[in-house]
Amino acid sequence: MEDKEAPKGDVLLTDSKTVIRFSPIWKQGLAASAPILLTFAAGLTSGFSAILLPQLEIEAGPIPADEETTSWIASMAALPMAPGCLISGWMFERFGRRKSQFIVCAPLLLGWILTAVANNLTLMLCGRFFTGLCVGLIGPLGPVYIGETSEPKYRGFFLAAISLAIALGIIFAHILGTFISWQWTAVICALFPILNIVLLIFVPESPTWLISKGRIEEGSKVYYWLRGYSDEAKDELKGIIDCRLARDAAPVETWKDKVLYFKSPELIKPLIIMIIFFATCQFAGTNAFAFYSIGIIQKAVDTSIDKYVAMFVMDLLRLIASVVACVICKQYGRRPLCFISGGLTTISMVGLSMFLYLKPENMAWIPLSCLMLYICAISIGLVPLPWMMCGEIFPTKVRGLGSGISSAMAFVCFFIVVKTAPGMMTYLGEVFTFSFYGTVAFFGTIILFFALPETKGKSLQEIEEKFKSKKSNDSKV
């Protein structure tokens, strides 16, 4: 079946007589909107604990609110994220990118329903588990789908919108939880998986995945629908089809060949880079601030400042910085943004630590300014960039595996940070905790300065070939 379709590759590169009613950017935007909405739901999961935990403490109901229990309620969402990423990598290679998004909506809806009706700790933890699992499932799936359905000049913008969606989800959960109970907040959150199912009806499957499965004619039609018939689009499609035909013509791979490929530079090098990038982002404390924003503000800022007002200022800054990231990621390269973000993140955390150590009186604006700078700095680079590059940097052949492993490592770090943050601040102190986050940001940025490649404006095929050429250069030496 696959061999019969393969010779059609050259024929499919000719111009189509189809009338183009909408610009390709609108079609690519429609395709990107589905994983972006699903990522928005992931942001709801991250923001939910910040409004849930204070309400549980006030209620003094059947769900305990001591420090140990609340840390488990918060971190339970992070616990299944790493396994979710690994499952996702297998799932979207097996069932396709679009169908996998349909699958994710089911446990996400179940998780929010369990959370909404939770009248004991077990139900609450189960609800948090399922919503966290879905955050892991969408982690590598969203960037890969967007990377494969958008052209290079728009890809950075759409991929940066993933971080914008998370920021929107966090602030939306915080606003809801400020004015209504956590139960009704969960009910409203449960509506978004349903909306996502409706949206997915109108978006296509990834053309790259279709072609990789031998469905070349179908994949080419979807590709042209998304990208139009420019010379650049034709050249990129030809490269994708040629890779597929080369795989068909190559001898059948043995298990030994597959194992050797997993050791090749085009997989190992980007995998190591992405693990370092994700670890830097997470251990710089980004999700500690998202999950425990109210508690951190209480510890770091003068108690005379309304903690909820301060939280909304932080949320608004995160949102604005994410919007800015969408714009500048289209204009500037990944490397400059990474270094600027890492440097400012380091400065903000060191400044906050110094203030808390010296404790000058009547200067609450200093820690608040440091927190504001931190939110802006980390949101324009260290947060969006690894998720953007996760969908760009891995070769088609192992994109599911590479993005799954790297994002799984991100969520392992996510869980460690969220679980340890309360204990670190209680037993080691805020000065040590914030100094640690700043130190990680500093050394991580230094390492990335020497290791991070530039992917802006390059097709996925060009990025893949860059790592292949590196391999061949090494062999020549």
Side-chain angles (χ1 to χ4, degrees):
M1 179 72 180
E2 293 181 5
D3 291 332
K4 290 179 181 177
E5 287 194 42
K8 296 179 182 179
D10 293 334
V11 178
L12 293 168
L13 294 172
T14 59
D15 285 332
S16 169
K17 304 300 181 184
T18 303
V19 177
I20 300 176
R21 299 184 180 220
F22 299 99
S23 168
I25 189 175
W26 293 106
K27 296 176 181 179
Q28 293 168 40
L30 175 64
S33 64
I36 287 172
L37 179 59
L38 208 50
T39 305
F40 171 82
L44 295 173
T45 300
S46 297
F48 185 72
S49 63
I51 58 95
L52 169 67
L53 302 183
Q55 290 191 32
L56 290 179
E57 292 175 4
I58 295 171
E59 288 176 0
I63 301 176
D66 57 275
E67 182 179 297
E68 179 66 17
T69 302
T70 53
S71 74
W72 273 111
I73 292 173
S75 60
M76 181 55 69
L79 183 62
M81 289 179 185
C85 290
L86 297 176
I87 295 170
S88 179
W90 166 82
M91 182 175 68
F92 68 68
E93 290 294 352
R94 174 69 177 82
F95 300 108
R97 286 45 163 160
R98 178 173 176 264
K99 189 179 290 184
S100 294
Q101 292 178 69
F102 276 112
I103 295 171
V104 172
C105 290
L108 184 58
L109 177 60
L110 174 62
W112 282 119
I113 291 173
L114 288 174
T115 302
V117 301
N119 57 5
N120 56 61
L121 181 59
T122 301
L123 278 179
M124 176 61 72
L125 292 177
C126 287
R128 295 289 288 166
F129 180 90
F130 280 112
T131 54
L133 175 66
C134 293
V135 174
L137 291 174
I138 191 59
L141 174 56
V144 167
Y145 179 78
I146 291 175
E148 293 178 349
T149 55
S150 55
E151 58 189 294
K153 63 181 177 181
Y154 301 127
R155 191 173 65 230
F157 176 82
F158 289 132
L159 287 170
I162 288 178
S163 291
L164 173 60
I166 293 174
L168 282 169
I170 291 172
I171 193 171
F172 187 74
H174 287 174
I175 291 172
L176 286 178
T178 300
F179 297 104
I180 62 177
S181 69
W182 61 264
Q183 292 93 336
W184 279 107
T185 300
V187 169
I188 294 173
C189 292
L191 298 176
F192 289 98
I194 300 172
L195 292 175
N196 209 87
I197 290 171
V198 175
L199 183 58
L200 281 167
I201 296 171
F202 302 99
V203 304
E205 180 54 85
S206 160
T208 304
W209 181 80
L210 290 170
I211 292 170
S212 73
K213 296 302 179 183
R215 295 155 64 177
I216 295 179
E217 183 172 1
E218 183 183 355
S220 299
K221 287 179 180 177
V222 172
Y223 182 91
Y224 281 133
W225 184 85
L226 286 164
R227 297 284 300 274
Y229 298 89
S230 67
D231 291 338
E232 181 185 5
K234 291 177 187 176
D235 290 342
E236 188 174 337
L237 177 59
K238 186 176 186 302
I240 295 171
I241 293 176
D242 286 347
C243 279
R244 171 63 198 183
L245 297 179
R247 283 174 54 195
D248 287 343
V252 178
E253 286 187 332
T254 64
W255 280 104
K256 183 179 179 181
D257 294 330
K258 292 179 179 179
V259 170
L260 288 174
Y261 185 80
F262 291 152
K263 297 179 180 179
S264 64
E266 60 255 44
L267 173 61
I268 295 299
K269 184 176 180 181
L271 184 61
I272 292 173
I273 292 170
M274 291 313 302
I275 289 173
I276 293 171
F277 210 163
F278 276 122
T280 300
C281 170
Q282 294 300 327
F283 283 107
T286 178
N287 281 297
F289 282 83
F291 273 62
Y292 305 108
S293 55
I294 293 178
I296 288 174
I297 291 169
Q298 285 178 317
K299 292 175 184 293
V301 181
D302 193 309
T303 54
S304 63
I305 296 176
D306 188 297
K307 58 182 178 293
Y308 285 98
V309 172
M311 180 184 71
F312 283 126
V313 170
M314 301 299 172
D315 288 343
L316 188 60
L317 282 172
R318 185 185 291 112
L319 181 61
I320 293 172
S322 298
V323 172
V324 171
C326 289
V327 176
I328 60 179
C329 281
K330 187 176 182 296
Q331 300 295 327
Y332 303 101
R334 316 304 191 230
R335 284 175 56 84
L337 285 178
C338 172
F339 308 142
I340 292 170
S341 174
L344 292 177
T345 299
T346 301
I347 291 169
S348 62
M349 285 292 94
V350 171
L352 181 59
S353 300
M354 290 177 64
F355 174 86
L356 293 174
Y357 180 75
L358 298 174
K359 294 182 179 179
E361 295 181 0
N362 301 318
M363 300 187 73
W365 62 271
I366 293 180
L368 189 58
S369 298
C370 288
L371 287 173
M372 291 167 66
L373 175 61
Y374 172 83
I375 294 296
C376 291
I378 204 165
S379 297
I380 63 168
L382 292 183
V383 170
L385 287 177
W387 291 108
M388 289 170 57
M389 298 186 72
C390 186
E392 298 177 318
I393 201 169
F394 292 104
T396 304
K397 187 175 180 181
V398 287
R399 190 164 291 148
L401 177 67
S403 60
I405 292 175
S406 58
S407 53
M409 290 304 299
F411 286 123
V412 168
C413 299
F414 184 129
F415 173 77
I416 294 171
V417 169
V418 172
K419 186 68 179 73
T420 58
M424 286 179 68
M425 283 187 280
T426 299
Y427 299 109
L428 299 177
E430 293 82 13
V431 173
F432 176 88
T433 302
F434 299 141
S435 297
F436 174 78
Y437 294 155
T439 302
V440 171
F442 175 75
F443 284 105
T445 303
I446 295 296
I447 294 171
L448 290 169
F449 179 82
F450 295 101
L452 190 69
E454 185 55 75
T455 61
K456 179 186 176 292
K458 297 180 181 178
S459 69
L460 300 181
Q461 195 65 29
E462 287 174 327
I463 297 169
E464 183 174 339
E465 289 299 323
K466 177 182 170 109
F467 287 111
K468 284 184 178 178
S469 65
K470 175 69 177 174
K471 176 183 177 182
S472 98
N473 291 338
D474 289 345
S475 63
K476 287 177 185 177
V477 176

